[in-house]
Amino acid sequence: MMIESRRSWVEQLFVAIIILIVFIFMAFALFDSGEATYAKAQLLFALIVLLITYREIGTFKVTKPRVKLSANLKIWLGLIGISLIVMALLEQVPSQILLNWNSANLAENTMFALAAGIFEESLTRGLFFSIFLQNMQYRSRSLKFTRSTIYSALIFGSLHLMNLRSGNSAAIIQQIFYAFALGIVLAAIRVTTNTLFWGIGVHFLIDWQPGIANPLSTATSWLPVLLIFGSMLVVGIVYLVKFDREYEKQSHLAKS
């Protein structure tokens, strides 16, 4: 049922490392180039990475056919949806989106949010997820989707270390934690919908706010962070473990 990638995980890992090197170089080289120029460059690079991801994997799908969700899985998927809605409300995402419509930098904010959604989903939930999933398959590991999700979410969280150049370390540590938790949920969306584009859309909406180009890095109390994103993390991992088991069951039935 799992779709085989066009290239091996070793070849894909080499490409992913090159992409990361170029991304880091661009971030430092264009940091002071002006918002409009930086936004256009980021979006162009993100679209190139999306195309590279498709070329390396050969598809945006993970399984063929899509895994059918049991009643129990649907319940946990509903909990994921509720956790996302609660997070969006507490983080004031709807009001930030409305404010963005009246922003003088609407075009730049939109390009930055699209670039973040496309690039980070393509690289982490696309290319790195494929790398880890192929490796799990090669080594005949159990819980392939769960393990691949955790590893790719760790990379997703680590990407936010780049923000250390413009913020305090306490705030960035919190950002890394909730990026990791959000990465788990976005991967759950990826394997459930069997495409990258739903995750890109959710990611874009979360980031689509005024001041995304220069976000303020202010640490808050850990309690709400742990309550909101810790809940997302637990619900997401439980869902993925159950998804793995359902995938294995359906794979065995398809072979018999």
Side-chain angles (χ1 to χ4, degrees), residues 97-152:
I97 290 173
L98 290 174
L99 282 173
N100 201 34
W101 280 108
N102 298 317
S103 171
N105 299 317
L106 175 61
E108 288 83 359
N109 294 338
T110 302
M111 285 190 287
F112 274 120
L114 271 175
I118 294 170
F119 170 72
E120 292 175 4
E121 293 307 305
S122 298
L123 183 64
T124 57
R125 253 72 63 191
L127 198 53
F128 273 112
F129 188 84
S130 172
I131 290 166
F132 294 128
L133 200 58
Q134 282 193 78
N135 185 262
M136 295 294 111
Q137 184 84 340
Y138 175 75
R139 297 164 67 184
S140 300
R141 290 294 186 92
S142 60
L143 301 177
K144 298 177 181 64
F145 293 104
T146 306
R147 291 171 185 263
S148 300
T149 291
I150 291 171
Y151 299 151
S152 59

Side-chain angles (χ1 to χ4, degrees), residues 189-234:
I189 293 172
R190 163 100 162 99
V191 298
T192 303
T193 61
N194 209 23
T195 181
L196 268 178
F197 294 107
W198 277 101
I200 289 173
V202 172
H203 196 144
F204 164 72
L205 287 175
I206 292 172
D207 283 353
W208 196 36
Q209 55 186 276
I212 183 178
N214 298 291
L216 295 175
S217 299
T218 306
T220 60
S221 170
W222 269 101
L223 182 58
V225 173
L226 291 173
L227 286 174
I228 299 168
F229 294 99
S231 299
M232 290 178 65
L233 180 62
V234 171

Side-chain angles (χ1 to χ4, degrees), residues 1-4 59 61-67 194 247 251 254:
M1 290 177 67
M2 194 177 294
I3 294 175
E4 291 188 11
T59 179
K61 295 181 178 181
V62 182
T63 60
K64 187 179 181 180
R66 196 165 79 178
V67 175
N194 209 23
Y247 165 79
S251 295

Side-chain angles (χ1 to χ4, degrees), residues 33-91:
S33 61
E35 285 191 12
T37 301
Y38 192 29
K40 291 173 185 176
Q42 289 272 43
L43 183 56
L44 177 60
F45 181 64
L47 291 170
I48 291 171
V49 173
L50 179 67
L51 292 174
I52 291 173
T53 298
Y54 184 83
R55 184 174 182 275
E56 290 297 309
I57 302 174
T59 179
F60 290 130
K61 295 181 178 181
V62 182
T63 60
K64 187 179 181 180
R66 196 165 79 178
V67 175
K68 296 178 181 178
L69 302 184
S70 64
N72 186 257
L73 265 177
K74 288 178 181 178
I75 291 172
W76 282 95
L77 183 61
L79 291 175
I80 286 178
I82 291 170
S83 71
L84 270 174
I85 292 170
V86 171
M87 181 274 293
L89 292 175
L90 292 176
E91 293 291 314

